[in-house]
Amino acid sequence: MRLSVLGATGSIGQSTLDIVARNPERFSIATLTANRNAHGLADAAIRVGAERAVLADAEGYNLLKDLLAGTGVEAAAGAEAVEEAAMADADMVVAAIVGAAGLAPTLAAVKKGRAIALANKECLVCAGSLFMELAERHGASILPVDSEHNAIFQVLETKNSDQVEKVILTASGGPFRKFSLEEMRGVTPEEALKHPNWDMGQRISIDSATMMNKGFEVIEAHYLYGLAAERLEVLVHPQSAVHGLVQYRDGSLLAQLGTPDMRTPISHCLAWPERIPVPTQRLDLAALGSLTFEKPDGLRFPALPLAYRALEAGMAATAALNAADEVAVDSFLRRRIGFLDIVAIVEKTIETLDRAGELSNCGSIFDVMNVDAAARRSAEEFSRT
Ligand code: NDP
């Protein structure tokens, strides 16, 4: 199977390449992409024998070309080259760019009817109904990499989704699960980046600490599984052993469990409907002893109710939710704002755009990009004041 990996230097990209390297008879790599990390991209491309390596940042082209000289891997750079990479001949595209930057290249792959292993949840948060419509129209199957959605996909494999009562997404609760608001006020980026169970990229780690990530996942599940918000529940489960549950109308509750290692859901997408060996640490239930679950606290973690409200309001609001969060998370990482300001800025941005009538109409990708730009401007402004 020929794969292209968008975002190959990131956490999901590297886990994907680990699976590829362990199964050389099964997978080959057409194209790998990254943003600016020319060294990481060149190393990865040589290691897995990629045909092409592409940087989004055009200024990195000469460095990448030098690093790949004599290796047989072709170099390219620029936003257009990333979209071309997404469209290049491949059986599956792994969409693992972080942020709304992943939308255009993933859509380019969708329009080519490629199978998509979707890690970039922002595609659905920003443009959910348009994305799913295009996938349907072009015959692109969407396989969910996100561990909770992959868990649900595994439990729904019998195609009995019409008999589902509700879906439960679990959340670890992040590093500040037990913190009061007062304690959260002063936390540093280093503390917020220390996720108790998962090793992930910076943005999703901060989003896990605010629980905005779980809000994004509710939106993602809504579009993937066609379930209304009231049938999507979140439970805090600090052990991160149960990743997702489906409750059926006969009262059965089915779950997928495993240790927190993204190679399990990634390999499930790459090999689906088969299962291939993955050397993760196995879940030792006896050693774990107990599994606990609790309701999320929307007062200490207001990102979650905010995401539900955005989902009810529609695609413009969820696109603004993502864009404002990207800006606010970046401002927090640069120490321009405090931890609690992240969600406050996202909320103020959505209110501001709503009052200005900018969230009323969103019927095309062009509209989504306009809302995204407006939300970034507004969140940037709030980050400065
Ligand atoms: P990382 O930050 O680790 O990696 C991001 C990747 O995207 C890198 O290859 C980076 O390149 C590339 N990239 C960043 N900005 C751009 C841009 N503007 N244009 C093109 N490429 C860009 O992120 P993760 O791997 O953690 O997350 C990737 C996606 O997967 C996110 O949407 C996240 O929500 C989702 N996800 C991640 C999980 C995880 O465990 N990490 C779990 C579930 C979902 P460079 O290295 O050059 O910056």
Side-chain angles (χ1 to χ4, degrees):
M1 174 187 253
R2 270 164 66 82
L3 299 175
S4 287
V5 184
L6 312 179
T9 48
S11 162
I12 294 290
Q14 293 293 301
S15 293
T16 303
L17 297 184
D18 179 80
I19 294 163
V20 168
R22 289 172 194 278
N23 297 276
E25 70 305 329
R26 187 170 188 123
F27 302 115
S28 66
I29 296 288
T31 311
L32 299 182
T33 80
N35 188 22
R36 293 207 173 92
N37 183 357
H39 285 276
L41 180 63
D43 284 352
I46 295 166
R47 198 170 67 238
V48 296
E51 292 165 22
R52 205 161 213 248
V54 183
L55 277 184
D57 175 25
E59 289 181 13
Y61 176 69
N62 286 338
L63 173 59
L64 181 67
K65 196 161 165 264
D66 288 349
L67 291 167
L68 293 173
T71 64
V73 185
E74 203 184 319
E80 269 179 37
V82 174
E83 284 192 36
E84 276 166 27
M87 292 187 289
D89 189 30
D91 300 300
M92 184 179 278
V93 173
V94 179
I97 290 174
V98 64
L103 180 59
T106 310
L107 276 177
V110 163
K111 287 182 191 160
K112 284 277 170 191
R114 303 276 180 261
I116 312 283
L118 187 70
N120 180 275
K121 63 191 84 185
E122 294 88 345
C123 282
L124 294 172
V125 176
C126 298
S129 51
L130 294 170
F131 186 90
M132 294 309 281
E133 272 163 36
L134 282 168
E136 171 123 28
R137 191 183 323 152
H138 295 278
S141 45
I142 308 296
L143 301 156
V145 167
D146 215 348
S147 57
E148 297 77 1
H149 306 74
N150 183 268
I152 292 155
F153 176 49
Q154 294 196 33
V155 172
L156 280 178
E157 262 181 352
T158 47
K159 306 255 178 281
N160 44 8
S161 54
D162 57 320
Q163 294 147 34
V164 168
E165 224 166 51
K166 71 175 175 184
V167 150
I168 301 171
L169 305 168
T170 56
S172 70
F176 310 133
R177 180 171 62 92
K178 293 193 161 166
F179 279 40
S180 67
L181 277 171
E182 214 32 57
E183 285 168 319
M184 275 189 250
R185 194 174 302 285
V187 298
T188 63
E190 290 74 18
E191 289 166 319
L193 285 169
K194 264 196 213 119
H195 195 279
N197 304 339
W198 295 93
D199 182 13
M200 309 181 287
Q202 289 202 332
R203 199 249 173 144
I204 186 173
S205 297
I206 302 298
D207 284 340
S208 298
T210 60
M211 288 194 77
M212 182 65 85
N213 180 52
K214 211 47 58 180
F216 289 157
E217 288 181 4
V218 168
I219 298 166
E220 186 183 6
H222 166 75
Y223 289 112
L224 282 172
Y225 302 114
L227 292 172
E230 58 272 16
R231 291 166 74 196
L232 297 166
E233 190 178 326
V234 172
L235 282 182
V236 175
H237 165 52
Q239 297 82 21
S240 293
V242 180
H243 302 304
L245 306 97
V246 177
Q247 183 170 302
Y248 286 96
R249 61 186 180 190
D250 63 357
S252 291
L253 192 57
L254 270 60
Q256 186 263 352
L257 288 80
T259 49
D261 186 325
M262 286 307 293
R263 291 176 302 172
T264 296
I266 294 169
S267 73
H268 181 255
C269 292
L270 299 190
W272 186 81
E274 254 185 80
R275 289 182 187 264
I276 54 176
V278 184
T280 59
Q281 199 186 332
R282 283 357 190 197
L283 189 61
D284 183 342
L285 287 172
L288 206 55
S290 62
L291 300 174
T292 61
F293 299 89
E294 60 202 61
K295 292 256 184 219
D297 178 349
L299 289 177
R300 285 183 305 124
F301 296 98
L304 193 54
L306 178 62
Y308 271 99
R309 290 201 299 278
L311 177 57
E312 291 294 342
M315 211 166 56
T318 57
L321 183 81
N322 173 69
D325 182 71
E326 283 193 37
V327 171
V329 167
D330 184 63
S331 297
F332 171 66
L333 288 171
R334 291 169 193 267
R335 296 180 160 75
R336 292 164 70 199
I337 61 170
F339 181 74
L340 293 182
D341 297 327
I342 299 173
V343 179
I345 285 174
V346 177
E347 185 159 18
K348 274 198 280 185
T349 298
I350 293 180
E351 280 167 11
T352 305
L353 296 193
D354 192 26
R355 269 200 305 273
E358 296 197 49
L359 299 182
S360 50
N361 217 344
C362 196
S364 68
I365 296 296
F366 180 74
D367 293 341
V368 169
M369 294 327 291
N370 277 341
V371 170
D372 178 282
R376 279 172 206 273
R377 280 195 299 274
S378 175
E380 185 57 44
E381 189 102 13
F382 287 129
S383 295
R384 270 194 249 117
T385 49

